[in-house]
Amino acid sequence: RHSAQASLRSGSADARRSLVVPPTSAAAHRPCTMPEAGTKCAQRVRCANGFFTFLGAIVGLLVTAQGVLVFVGVALGHDDAPDDFWQGCRWVAHGSLCVGIGLVCCALEIKSCLPQVKFHLGWFFANRIGLALLYLWVGCYAAGGALRNGPEWAVRLGHATGILAWVVGLSHIVLAGCAERPQKEEPTVEDKPVAESNDVEADAQVEQQQAPAAGSPTGEEAQTMA
């Protein structure tokens, strides 16, 4: 009888080992992510996009400031007043163009930060290439300065604005195909299976399978009775 009970216990232990689900770990339920090197590269690209987006907004503000300087320069004596009607029309158009182009640059840079653009490769590519062409034109337009006969600092401001616009335009061309990927949410604690509950269920199944029927003799007792 003792040997039969020992064999039953060993058999139940083996069955329990085969049925018990191994304890789960957080790494097993972690979603598949990019390798570490790829993650670092994606973070660097994200930082580069944010940095040059900020510089693009600065270029837009500088161009807008030059447009305001066109209108204010005459009143402050930094530029010559228009001599006739035709020069006056050009003066108004020049200042309005600078203000409008600067505001458009700022608006497009803000739009590139929206999820509909930065997570969509097609829209992001079109935004970057459009802004790159615009910045290359702005660099040529603003490099000479907003004022015709302005002071030296106004000419230097135009040169700095043009160089910065060229740098931002070239960077937008390089990063045009580097759209960001939306981040995946980590599974919550409720979604993860609990190892202890799996062990309890496995033990219950083993006991039900290995427990002999009530009142039925064991193998050794059956041989003795026979």
Side-chain angles (χ1 to χ4, degrees), residues 49-111:
N49 281 328
F51 176 72
F52 286 110
T53 298
F54 175 74
L55 288 184
I58 295 297
V59 171
L61 293 177
L62 290 176
V63 175
T64 304
Q66 290 196 23
V68 175
L69 186 63
V70 170
F71 295 117
V72 179
V74 175
L76 297 179
H78 295 315
D79 197 7
D80 298 334
D83 297 332
D84 52 17
F85 173 77
W86 306 111
Q87 291 185 1
C89 292
R90 184 186 181 281
W91 171 70
V92 173
H94 179 50
S96 302
L97 182 62
C98 290
V99 173
I101 292 297
L103 294 179
V104 168
C105 292
C106 293
L108 291 177
E109 292 291 359
I110 294 174
K111 187 177 181 180

Side-chain angles (χ1 to χ4, degrees), residues 36-180:
E36 185 177 356
T39 303
K40 291 182 179 180
C41 181
Q43 291 177 355
R44 292 174 182 175
V45 170
R46 188 181 300 110
C47 293
N49 281 328
F51 176 72
F52 286 110
T53 298
F54 175 74
L55 288 184
I58 295 297
V59 171
L61 293 177
L62 290 176
V63 175
T64 304
Q66 290 196 23
V68 175
L69 186 63
V70 170
F71 295 117
V72 179
V74 175
L76 297 179
H78 295 315
D79 197 7
D80 298 334
D83 297 332
D84 52 17
F85 173 77
W86 306 111
Q87 291 185 1
C89 292
R90 184 186 181 281
W91 171 70
V92 173
H94 179 50
S96 302
L97 182 62
C98 290
V99 173
I101 292 297
L103 294 179
V104 168
C105 292
C106 293
L108 291 177
E109 292 291 359
I110 294 174
K111 187 177 181 180
S112 67
C113 299
L114 299 178
Q116 295 83 355
V117 177
K118 69 177 182 179
F119 293 147
H120 192 281
L121 181 59
W123 287 111
F124 185 80
F125 182 83
N127 180 275
R128 296 290 96 175
I129 294 299
L131 277 173
L133 297 177
L134 182 60
Y135 284 132
L136 294 178
W137 178 85
V138 166
C140 297
Y141 184 79
L147 303 179
R148 293 177 297 173
N149 300 317
E152 184 66 21
W153 63 267
V155 177
R156 299 298 181 185
L157 179 62
H159 293 168
T161 303
I163 294 174
L164 186 59
W166 289 332
V167 171
V168 176
L170 293 177
S171 67
H172 281 6
I173 293 177
V174 174
L175 299 173
C178 300
E180 299 182 15

Side-chain angles (χ1 to χ4, degrees), residues 166-198:
W166 289 332
V167 171
V168 176
L170 293 177
S171 67
H172 281 6
I173 293 177
V174 174
L175 299 173
C178 300
E180 299 182 15
R181 293 183 178 180
Q183 298 180 356
K184 298 181 180 180
E185 297 182 357
E186 293 287 340
T188 59
V189 180
E190 291 76 7
D191 298 335
K192 298 180 179 180
V194 182
E196 291 76 9
S197 63
N198 293 337

